[in-house]
Amino acid sequence: MSPSSPEARRARPLLGTLVELRVDACDGDIEAALATAFAAVAQVQALMSVHDPASELSRLNRLGHHQPIRLHPWTAEVLRRAQALHQATGGLFDPAVAPVLSALDFLPVPVAAGATGGSIADLVVGDGMASSGRPLCLDLGGIAKGFAVDQAVAALRRAGARAGAVNAGGDLRLFGDAPQPVVVRDPADPGRHWLLGEFQDIAIATSAGYYAARPAAGGPVMPIVDPRNGHAVPVGPSVTVLAGDCATADALTKAVMLDGGDSPAWLEDLGAQAVRLDGQAAA
């Protein structure tokens, strides 16, 4: 396709979902732009997938309490941002709840003895290295997917794309001057959609239980765990967060859901806003 070509869409299975790239206008080779964006997403997956025993995250989970583990700059950045969001949300966002997710079969990963009860705050992230004073089992799925979307957008822009979108299973980032419509699924009827509005240059992420619930003693639960008590969240309303970048939006959907309030004080401090859907109307 030629520069400033019409819209192009491509999708690939990555990050445990379908990642869709859309370019509306490009001043370079649009196919090359799409290829570099998919490569960025694949690299995030290779570095931070808890499902891949060869990933840096898996190695950190296995060995980080024995020795410092060398990290790619992207992995170190995501860990530092996870720690910052953990602190900003009063501990509500915590990737160290992976042992509970594993016990509920949300994550088919081994958990080291003693890895329960830890926190992302126990991790020490230095210059390209990370270690922990105690065994930890981290799952970065609640922030790394958004980070991958951000990296895909950055790759598209570097390659000349001027407008478009990246969507990774509900983690969405829009770029360009023209407003674009955004819809979210009704948590009570996923085939029904609500129009949130039209937005530009924004990141939007949603957490809900309609496709990822698991049975539990008290009823179906979502893959979101409250680090204060170690309990998974019952299936209920969905939470959508709008922020300046997708890593932040992705992480904050979990924290907002756990907070239970309409607008936690820290949400505005982080430059974000949230919409809660209970299946009847936007709150």
Side-chain angles (χ1 to χ4, degrees):
M1 295 184 181
S2 61
S4 300
S5 60
E7 176 184 302
R9 292 175 182 262
R10 301 289 185 274
R12 291 184 188 175
L14 288 163
L15 306 172
T17 187
L18 193 65
V19 176
E20 181 183 31
L21 310 183
R22 194 189 79 234
V23 174
D24 298 333
C26 188
D27 292 328
D29 185 328
I30 199 167
E31 292 297 339
L34 292 165
T36 58
F38 277 125
V41 175
Q43 185 173 9
V44 173
Q45 176 176 283
L47 291 170
M48 303 178 218
S49 172
V50 74
H51 300 273
D52 182 358
S55 73
E56 285 188 349
L57 178 63
S58 293
R59 189 163 184 265
L60 181 63
N61 282 339
R62 287 194 306 270
L63 302 173
H65 61 292
H66 296 301
Q67 64 189 61
I69 303 300
R70 186 167 299 281
L71 301 176
H72 186 280
W74 284 3
T75 310
E77 180 181 350
V78 169
L79 289 170
R80 282 192 291 265
R81 293 183 67 176
Q83 289 184 317
L85 289 168
H86 172 79
Q87 183 175 11
T89 61
L92 291 179
F93 176 71
D94 196 338
V97 297
V100 180
L101 295 173
S102 181
L104 291 169
D105 292 326
F106 284 114
L107 292 177
V109 295
V111 177
T116 59
S119 164
I120 187 70
D122 295 320
L123 195 68
V124 178
V125 185
D127 186 13
M129 306 286 286
S131 62
S132 173
R134 57 166 297 161
L136 290 177
C137 186
L138 304 174
D139 170 30
L140 294 177
I143 186 171
K145 187 168 70 167
F147 181 80
V149 169
D150 292 331
Q151 293 305 315
V153 170
L156 289 172
R157 282 175 159 161
R158 285 194 301 269
R162 292 184 284 107
V166 177
N167 188 350
D171 282 13
L172 172 69
R173 185 156 172 184
L174 311 175
F175 66 101
D177 295 334
Q180 303 178 48
V182 173
V183 298
V184 294
R185 295 182 185 275
D186 187 319
D189 180 7
R192 182 184 183 190
H193 296 81
W194 291 92
L195 177 66
L196 284 186
E198 293 194 345
F199 305 92
Q200 63 188 82
D201 284 320
I202 198 168
I204 302 167
T206 298
S207 284
Y210 35 76
Y211 291 139
R214 291 283 190 280
V221 295
M222 295 186 276
I224 298 175
V225 174
D226 192 332
R228 297 168 295 188
N229 56 30
H231 295 160
V233 175
V235 172
S238 68
V239 168
T240 297
V241 170
L242 298 83
D245 65 88
C246 210
T248 298
D250 190 12
L252 291 185
T253 58
K254 293 80 179 170
V256 170
M257 189 168 285
L258 292 170
D259 180 87
D262 290 337
S263 183
W266 42 259
L267 194 64
E268 184 177 355
D269 293 340
L270 292 167
Q273 55 184 309
V275 177
R276 194 182 303 269
L277 280 176
D278 61 10
Q280 298 179 3

